[in-house]
Amino acid sequence: MDKILDELKKELKEIKDLSKLNELKAKYLGKKGSISELSSKLKDMAAEEKKTFGSVLNKIKTDATNLLDEARSKIEEENLNKKLENESIDITLPSTKIPAGSPSILEKVVEEVEELLISMGYDVIDGPEIEEDKYNFEMLNIPKGHPARDAQDTFYLKNEEILLRSQTSPVQVRVMLEGKGKKPIRIICPGKTYRRDNDDATHSHQFMQIEGLLIDRKVSLSDLKGTFDVIAKKLFGEDTETRFRPSYYQFTEPSVEMDISCHHCDGKGCSICKNTGWITVSGAGMVHPNVLKNCGYDPKEWQGFAFGFGAERLAMVKYNIDDLRVFYTNDIREMRSFDRKEAE
Ligand code: DAH
């Protein structure tokens, strides 16, 4: 029996891979292996002899199994080491160049407005895109059946009470209700809005507005003008001029359109400003007394102004883009061209 183990040891020394090891295991411990064959002698032995022979046989089985297991671990370890060596990464190799992405210019314009208004004491807040008719229209002085609703062809959900907000103005209502008629307010709310428009160069069923609201005591239209002036100069350059044109919104009185001087032709007239020298970028006005009242603010004590920029419009004017759809088609070539435009 010692001879068998010596032989196994000798053979193990030669073995370098697992399949050979398995063959060897079969040769010794398999059904027809040499150790199993020894067991067959047991049946011809006397009881006493059987006992001694049996225990030696068991020992040899255990020893052989241990030897084979040891050899297996050794081979596995060697294999692993070889693999690790082959797969090691040379960190001194030059890297592959991955082109860097950058934020969309629409997002950049919004951030620019945010940063500026934060520095003027405004908070940036969010509102729900799925809104109640009450906030989107009614509390803003636009009752059911009012023709002003037609201009904002709205996506209604389920029934006439829940909708995709057609403007960010409902956020004004929500914030004023929270102020409970006691606190001054300075907020902007940039966010997505939705209308049942057919998509073309200047319309999109989903677009972005930046709503602004300031409520305080002794606020006048000149405060709005001053604020707009600062925003316009920051976004379009120091020599940008601004003007108000009379307009009409249900939730402001008086209402205005806010224009900037065309920085492409310096006011001389070009295709971008349709030869007027001016470009409209926002609707605005003094918060209507009815809206203040609806939201718990006493119009005799409080006044405020509000404005609503079209974010795409701002980006289009700033970067000279003539088709609004480019913001949403995500064509990487277009996006890169914006980066170039910005660098210029
Ligand atoms: N919500 C208006 C729209 O979508 C834009 C607007 C006009 C917002 C005047 C205002 C405002 O806050 O005062 O057309």
Side-chain angles (χ1 to χ4, degrees), residues 31-46:
K31 263 194 195 144
K32 290 188 179 151
S34 47
I35 295 177
S36 315
E37 250 158 36
L38 283 176
S39 326
S40 64
K41 295 192 175 165
L42 277 170
K43 63 180 188 309
D44 306 324
M45 290 181 183

Side-chain angles (χ1 to χ4, degrees), residues 86-273:
N86 288 341
E87 286 174 10
S88 72
I89 295 166
D90 181 356
I91 55 166
T92 62
L93 285 173
S95 70
T96 337
K97 198 160 182 270
I98 300 167
S102 57
S104 103
I105 50 168
L106 185 57
E107 206 59 44
K108 279 193 210 162
V109 168
V110 172
E111 266 171 29
E112 220 175 317
V113 177
E114 277 178 10
E115 244 168 58
L116 176 67
L117 283 151
I118 288 170
S119 77
M120 293 162 81
Y122 285 71
D123 287 328
V124 179
I125 66 150
D126 250 346
E129 286 171 34
I130 295 176
E131 187 52 282
E132 292 177 44
D133 183 275
K134 187 171 72 176
Y135 296 120
N136 195 81
F137 289 126
E138 265 173 66
M139 310 259 297
L140 287 168
N141 209 24
I142 316 176
K144 289 223 163 70
H146 194 282
R149 289 185 177 220
D150 298 345
Q152 304 192 0
D153 208 350
T154 309
F155 284 110
Y156 281 93
L157 307 171
K158 265 189 177 170
N159 54 36
E160 295 276 289
E161 300 306 327
I162 310 285
L163 45 79
L164 290 180
R165 68 177 174 197
S166 59
Q167 48 185 353
T168 41
S169 306
V171 178
Q172 294 185 26
V173 178
R174 288 178 173 274
V175 178
M176 277 191 264
L177 287 175
E178 259 172 43
K180 297 196 166 38
K182 293 196 172 61
K183 280 198 293 196
I185 294 169
R186 281 182 201 198
I187 56 109
I188 57 162
C189 169
K192 290 189 195 113
T193 45
Y194 304 83
R195 286 184 201 177
R196 291 174 51 190
D197 276 329
N198 290 327
D199 295 355
D200 61 25
T202 52
H203 295 85
S204 169
H205 61 283
Q206 181 222 292
F207 55 104
M208 242 186 131
Q209 290 189 332
I210 308 172
E211 191 78 17
L213 174 70
L214 181 141
I215 303 281
D216 213 325
R217 297 173 178 96
K218 300 202 179 80
V219 182
S220 74
L221 201 62
S222 63
D223 296 313
L224 172 63
K225 182 76 163 52
T227 305
F228 177 54
D229 226 52
V230 174
I231 299 173
K233 285 186 163 50
K234 172 84 193 323
L235 281 181
F236 301 103
E238 277 307 307
D239 48 2
T240 306
E241 287 179 50
T242 58
R243 74 170 187 189
F244 281 177
R245 274 183 305 113
S247 185
Y248 180 78
Y249 294 100
Q250 278 293 117
F251 36 90
T252 41
E253 179 58 40
S255 304
V256 295
E257 300 292 318
M258 307 203 290
D259 295 353
I260 56 165
S261 55
C262 181
H263 55 290
H264 294 283
C265 62
D266 289 329
K268 286 187 206 84
C270 67
S271 63
I272 291 171
C273 60

